[in-house]
Amino acid sequence: MKAPRAAGRSTPKPAAPDVAQQLELKPGQSIDLLKALHILTRDGKLNQDSRRKLKQVYHLYQFIEPLLTELAAQDHPVSLADHGAGKSYLGFILYDLFFKNLGRGHIYGIETRAPLVEASQQLAADLGFDRMSFLNMSVADSTRTDAVPERFDVVTALHACDTATDDAIAFGLEKRARAMVLVPCCQAEVAACLRQNKAMNLARTPLAELWRHPIHTREMGSQITNVLRCLYLESQGYQVTVTELVGWEHSMKNELILAKYTGQKKRAAAERLQQLLVEFGLDQSLQHRYRLD
């Protein structure tokens, strides 16, 4: 028989390391930060939506952390631009897990929604994350502003919608980024072009059957867009890896494009890019996006 619990004695709360272990947090992760980002509730719990967001960011961190470690060698102050930052989940967690203890480097969060930028600025100030800056502007505008450095080491774009991912690539090329980590979101530009030329393409090639139905048009538009992006990055001297971000049960926008600069521009990639633009009738509409040297 169990001994009766002493009157007035309550069960002690788990210590912070136990809570972190139960929640499967990474070592050194600030619980206060996760609460401030509303990933954790006030009593330190995760709901299903927050667990999905945290899993995505952690999985992305696994790809970014080795890049940062390599770049940080020999006291290099790593610079990172996070495009379409939103509430800056990724930027804050990168800072908390890597930049904070590194003692150098800077993260720039770029976002078009002013209230989110202001909230991120306040949170960074409250936490003492003094090497974080937040800019209220579009990805395209950030390429032309003097508010960011002339060069960046890493460019990230997590679920940047439609052509914002292309703008992030253009930003990375302009800033001579040593690595780009991209998770494309909704994509409409190529699908619109396919719809516009559908009748002509159906008469021209049997391949147009691949996007004759509206749902296929959307899917083909997304697929073609990411293939063109990968070929473009390869043509500009990047080694490209394409993989899953997380399991499909967590997000349908699941493609992760990891590009690392090698300086070896692939002529074959440039040629295939041009051939695909012509084959799908996109050469006139999208030539401005893929400027080949």
Side-chain angles (χ1 to χ4, degrees):
M1 179 181 297
K2 294 183 179 178
R5 183 181 298 173
R9 182 179 297 176
S10 59
T11 303
K13 293 183 178 180
D18 295 328
V19 172
Q21 187 175 13
Q22 290 170 10
L23 297 175
E24 300 179 351
L25 303 184
K26 290 192 174 295
Q29 179 72 76
S30 167
I31 291 178
D32 289 337
L33 169 64
L34 296 183
K35 288 181 179 180
L37 291 173
H38 303 293
I39 291 177
L40 290 182
T41 62
R42 290 182 179 179
D43 55 356
K45 295 182 180 179
L46 274 172
N47 61 36
Q48 192 61 35
D49 184 58
S50 296
R51 187 179 297 276
R52 181 172 62 252
K53 290 178 182 176
L54 187 61
K55 182 174 181 178
Q56 287 186 25
V57 174
Y58 273 179
H59 194 72
L60 194 55
Y61 179 78
Q62 292 178 357
F63 290 95
I64 299 175
E65 191 270 339
L67 298 173
L68 297 176
T69 299
E70 181 181 341
L71 292 167
Q74 301 178 349
D75 298 327
H76 178 67
V78 182
S79 57
L80 183 145
D82 181 25
H83 286 295
K87 295 180 179 179
S88 293
Y89 293 118
L90 177 61
F92 277 113
I93 289 177
L94 284 172
Y95 194 99
D96 190 41
L97 295 179
F98 189 88
F99 284 78
K100 183 171 64 177
N101 292 331
L102 184 66
R104 60 183 183 275
H106 204 106
I107 293 177
Y108 292 80
I110 299 166
E111 170 59 45
T112 57
R113 291 165 287 184
L116 296 184
V117 172
E118 293 167 5
S120 294
Q121 290 170 336
Q122 185 61 56
L123 180 56
D126 292 343
L127 295 171
F129 289 5
D130 55 354
R131 287 174 286 109
M132 292 190 79
S133 300
F134 300 92
L135 304 175
N136 180 204
M137 60 180 63
S138 69
V139 182
D141 288 340
S142 69
T143 308
R144 299 183 288 269
T145 182
D146 294 330
V148 300
E150 292 183 359
R151 295 197 65 176
F152 272 92
D153 293 305
V154 181
V155 172
T156 64
L158 176 58
H159 294 158
C161 287
D162 198 15
T163 58
T165 298
D166 299 293
D167 292 337
I169 292 173
F171 178 95
L173 295 176
E174 178 70 22
K175 300 297 182 179
R176 292 171 287 175
R178 297 168 73 175
M180 299 189 216
V181 183
L182 311 166
V183 180
C185 193
C186 55
Q187 299 161 28
E189 185 179 45
V190 168
C193 295
L194 293 177
R195 279 193 296 270
Q196 183 178 7
N197 301 320
K198 187 175 294 187
M200 180 179 66
N201 284 324
L202 280 168
R204 182 178 62 87
T205 172
L207 286 176
E209 292 292 338
L210 295 173
W211 65 91
R212 179 161 62 91
H213 299 287
I215 189 172
H216 294 158
T217 305
R218 185 175 71 245
E219 292 171 353
M220 279 296 299
S222 178
Q223 177 76 357
I224 293 168
T225 299
N226 287 338
V227 170
L228 293 174
R229 287 166 174 166
C230 292
L231 288 171
Y232 186 46
L233 286 165
E234 289 177 340
S235 76
Q236 299 304 300
Y238 287 82
Q239 180 183 9
V240 175
T241 302
V242 183
T243 186
E244 285 185 350
L245 175 60
V246 288
W248 291 106
E249 72 274 13
H250 292 282
S251 175
M252 294 301 291
K253 307 300 182 182
N254 196 41
E255 188 167 333
L256 170 62
I257 300 172
L258 178 63
K260 189 174 180 180
Y261 188 70
T262 65
Q264 299 177 350
K265 297 184 177 183
K266 294 185 178 180
R267 182 183 300 177
E271 292 173 352
R272 283 299 177 94
L273 172 59
Q274 278 298 127
Q275 290 167 354
L276 286 178
L277 288 173
V278 172
E279 182 65 34
F280 289 104
L282 302 170
D283 48 322
Q284 297 300 318
S285 303
L286 299 184
Q287 196 69 55
H288 67 287
R289 289 216 176 274
Y290 308 110
R291 296 175 180 172
L292 303 172
D293 298 336

